[in-house]
Amino acid sequence: MSYPTLQDHPMQPATIKYQSQAVAKLYFIAALGLFTGQIVFGLSLGLQYVIGDFLFPAIPFNIARMVHTNLLIVWLLFGFMGAAYYMVPEESETELYSPLFAKVLFWVFLAAGAATILGYLLVPYAKLAEMTGNDLLATMGREFLEQPLPTKLGIVVVALGFLFNISMTVLKGRKTAISMVLLMGLWGLALMFLFSFVNPSNLVRDKMYWWFVVHLWVEGTWELIMASLLAFVLVKTTGVDREVIDKWMYMIVAFALITGILGTGHHFYFIGLPGYWHWVGSVFSAMEPIPFFMMTLFAFNMVQRRRREHPNQAAVLWAVGTAVIGFLGAGVWGFIHTLSTVNYYTHGSQVTAAHGHLAFYGAYVLVVLAIISYAMPILRGREANPLRAQRVEMWSFWIMSIGMAVMVLALSGAGILQVWLQRMPTTGAMPFMATQDQLVFFYWVRVAGGVMFLLGLLAYLSSFFIGPAADEESLSLGVSTRLQRA
């Protein structure tokens, strides 16, 4: 089996096939900026675990955590939207239905997101709820769904406008498996978000509807989006027949939906729903690693069968990394504590945090970075970044991935010790805060991993500003001259 290597390729000029694809550049830039903000707030959270009054009272822990998780969701949504605006015109072989509408929605979404984050940071949360009409329709105060009512309504408006634009483009052009799976995932994402407006007084029903949003996003509709993005990048970088990639994608999507929808039951174990969810949730959650394992086989199989050595080998690395680390995070680390008898002890512990960090990074962060890595050079007028820039980009992948591994292993160790000291003893269990004191070493290691991750991200961002070496530029110039003469 042969694997792609970074080789000398002349920098050949490239242009986007459809001018409306240029809209994606705005979304990609915003996504990377918000991603950086998310990591900065995540690092501050890690420090607050070990330095209790760090940034207090300016940015309390609950506010920093809310900003950290909300930025994660928003920047990934920007990434998904940018990916759709880039992919759909090319897949449909037609210009975007309305590029102007896409730009207007971008600025509306960015302004709403910025105003919401500033609201979290500058206004006490209870006062923010009072100011934004939470007494009219109570939707605030739930993890990941803390957004004020006007922001939630704005998200719905932006999502509907975005879906109208994308759907109309698909309807007037060619229909491919990649674009249809992407469209199904995006519509599912928008429809599931509507449950964020449902906030019943009954706590059991409240948590059930909350998981309809959170679980059926990250373990349902988002997986469809991820599969279509990964398939698109592999089609473009390997040259493998679409028929082969489509068959793999259909199998992955089918298993993802079957296991993901019924796997919602692993959140229903202990919230007051019927006991049969212990069996349904355990069985189908145990099967959730299957689509991720298939995705790993898919990526390596496509790279092995490639018909061309694409000059953008950094994008290939991000794509293969998505499959491998997604399987480890969502599959292996999810399986570790998904059975009800294990989850009884680990639920809400640092084991959950370890799984969440690695799963989000592997499944969604990496696939968005893969499509940005592939599309951004073309949006900037060249087929691939210069060789020097790709080297830095590949280093950034390894630095971020190793940094994430350090964080996840530290959180896993902290979670195991937390369960052992606080939850397993039938008598003499250690109190929560006393247990936290015993986990300080792991928390410092987690901070070290976070610093490493931030350095990797900064390296990734710097790769966009690195030009070609002198010999690479002369090689590219010579090829361009020969092409012009021909």
Side-chain angles (χ1 to χ4, degrees):
M1 179 181 292
S2 61
Y3 297 97
T5 56
L6 191 57
Q7 301 171 353
D8 287 305
H9 290 276
M11 272 205 325
Q12 297 185 13
T15 56
I16 50 179
K17 294 183 179 179
Y18 300 93
Q19 289 303 310
S20 56
Q21 289 178 281
V23 172
K25 191 174 181 179
L26 284 173
Y27 286 83
F28 289 154
I29 292 171
L32 292 176
L34 294 170
F35 182 26
T36 306
Q38 184 221 340
I39 302 308
V40 170
F41 274 95
L43 193 56
S44 71
L45 282 170
L47 286 170
Q48 286 181 343
Y49 266 86
V50 289
I51 307 173
D53 58 354
F54 180 71
L55 296 179
F56 187 83
I59 307 179
F61 180 87
N62 66 310
I63 300 300
R65 185 178 186 275
M66 194 159 54
V67 173
H68 176 63
T69 54
N70 277 242
L71 282 174
L72 168 68
I73 295 168
V74 172
W75 90 257
L76 286 176
L77 290 178
F78 269 107
F80 291 159
M81 289 179 178
Y85 283 132
Y86 183 86
M87 290 165 52
V88 167
E90 199 162 316
E91 288 292 299
S92 302
E93 297 182 344
T94 182
E95 293 286 359
L96 190 65
Y97 181 77
S98 176
L100 177 61
F101 193 32
K103 291 178 183 178
V104 170
L105 290 175
F106 167 80
W107 290 110
V108 170
F109 193 24
L110 187 63
T116 302
I117 297 300
L118 289 174
Y120 293 157
L121 293 172
L122 300 177
V123 182
Y125 192 67
K127 183 66 176 176
L128 185 64
E130 181 183 334
M131 292 168 54
T132 55
N134 195 59
D135 54 336
L136 300 175
L137 180 61
T139 67
M140 296 175 66
R142 293 183 291 175
E143 187 182 7
F144 300 122
L145 304 178
E146 298 96 345
Q147 305 87 15
L149 180 60
T151 302
K152 285 191 176 74
L153 293 172
I155 290 172
V156 171
V157 171
V158 169
L160 289 177
F162 161 72
L163 288 168
F164 170 77
N165 212 352
I166 291 296
S167 300
M168 292 301 291
T169 307
V170 172
L171 287 173
K172 73 173 182 174
R174 182 182 67 155
K175 283 78 175 171
T176 67
I178 290 176
S179 61
M180 298 310 293
V181 169
L182 175 65
L183 204 57
M184 186 163 60
L186 291 170
W187 271 102
L189 181 158
L191 293 173
M192 288 299 108
F193 182 72
L194 295 178
F195 284 102
S196 68
F197 292 92
V198 181
N199 190 10
S201 57
N202 182 291
L203 188 59
V204 175
R205 291 181 60 216
D206 166 35
K207 295 302 291 182
M208 183 176 67
Y209 290 134
W210 183 79
W211 283 117
F212 283 2
V213 182
V214 178
H215 175 96
L216 292 177
W217 264 9
V218 300
E219 295 173 71
T221 58
W222 285 25
E223 289 187 11
L224 274 62
I225 298 169
M226 174 185 59
S228 60
L229 266 59
L230 186 61
F232 179 83
V233 172
L234 290 174
V235 163
K236 297 299 180 181
T237 56
T238 64
V240 175
D241 288 340
R242 278 183 175 270
E243 291 78 7
V244 176
I245 288 181
D246 289 351
K247 288 175 183 176
W248 275 93
M249 186 173 61
Y250 284 139
M251 287 193 295
I252 292 169
V253 165
F255 270 93
L257 287 176
I258 293 168
T259 60
I261 292 172
L262 290 173
T264 311
H266 69 239
H267 299 298
F268 295 165
Y269 289 156
F270 313 114
I271 67 170
L273 290 174
Y276 58 75
W277 283 112
H278 286 216
W279 283 99
V280 174
S282 294
V283 170
F284 285 95
S285 296
M287 294 169 62
E288 282 193 60
I290 294 175
F292 284 94
F293 181 66
M294 293 171 67
M295 189 170 64
T296 304
L297 295 178
F298 162 58
F300 278 98
N301 194 13
M302 294 309 104
V303 171
Q304 182 187 13
R305 299 171 62 169
R306 66 190 182 278
R307 294 183 173 182
R308 61 178 298 206
E309 288 290 347
H310 196 277
N312 192 343
Q313 288 302 303
V316 178
L317 177 62
W318 290 109
V320 174
T322 299
V324 175
I325 301 179
F327 169 65
L328 291 174
V332 176
W333 253 259
F335 178 77
I336 283 173
H337 69 141
T338 197
L339 301 177
S340 61
T341 50
V342 178
N343 192 260
Y344 179 79
Y345 295 101
T346 61
H347 184 76
S349 70
Q350 296 298 338
V351 175
T352 304
H355 160 57
H357 278 77
L358 191 58
F360 265 101
Y361 173 67
Y364 303 118
V365 171
L366 287 181
V367 80
V368 171
L369 294 182
I371 189 69
I372 292 176
S373 179
Y374 170 77
M376 262 300 201
I378 300 173
L379 290 168
R380 300 172 73 189
R382 55 198 183 206
E383 191 176 10
N385 281 330
L387 192 61
R388 291 196 309 168
Q390 287 195 58
R391 286 199 182 102
V392 173
E393 193 177 338
M394 288 179 162
W395 271 107
S396 75
F397 167 83
W398 290 110
I399 294 169
M400 278 196 281
S401 298
I402 293 170
M404 179 58 68
V406 170
M407 283 196 290
V408 167
L409 291 174
L411 287 169
S412 299
I416 293 169
L417 185 57
Q418 180 183 8
V419 168
W420 179 261
L421 295 176
Q422 181 189 337
R423 300 188 174 186
M424 290 192 71
T426 54
T427 58
M430 190 174 286
F432 176 81
M433 290 307 296
T435 301
Q436 296 303 303
D437 285 338
Q438 302 301 312
L439 307 181
V440 169
F441 168 76
F442 294 103
Y443 291 153
W444 274 115
V445 174
R446 191 255 301 269
V447 169
V451 171
M452 189 174 182
F453 190 92
L454 179 60
L455 292 175
L457 174 57
L458 293 176
Y460 177 77
L461 297 176
S462 72
S463 70
F464 291 100
F465 302 96
I466 297 175
D471 56 343
E472 191 180 356
E473 193 166 9
S474 62
L475 177 62
S476 175
L477 182 61
V479 171
S480 298
T481 303
R482 288 195 298 271
L483 287 174
Q484 288 174 1
R485 288 174 180 171

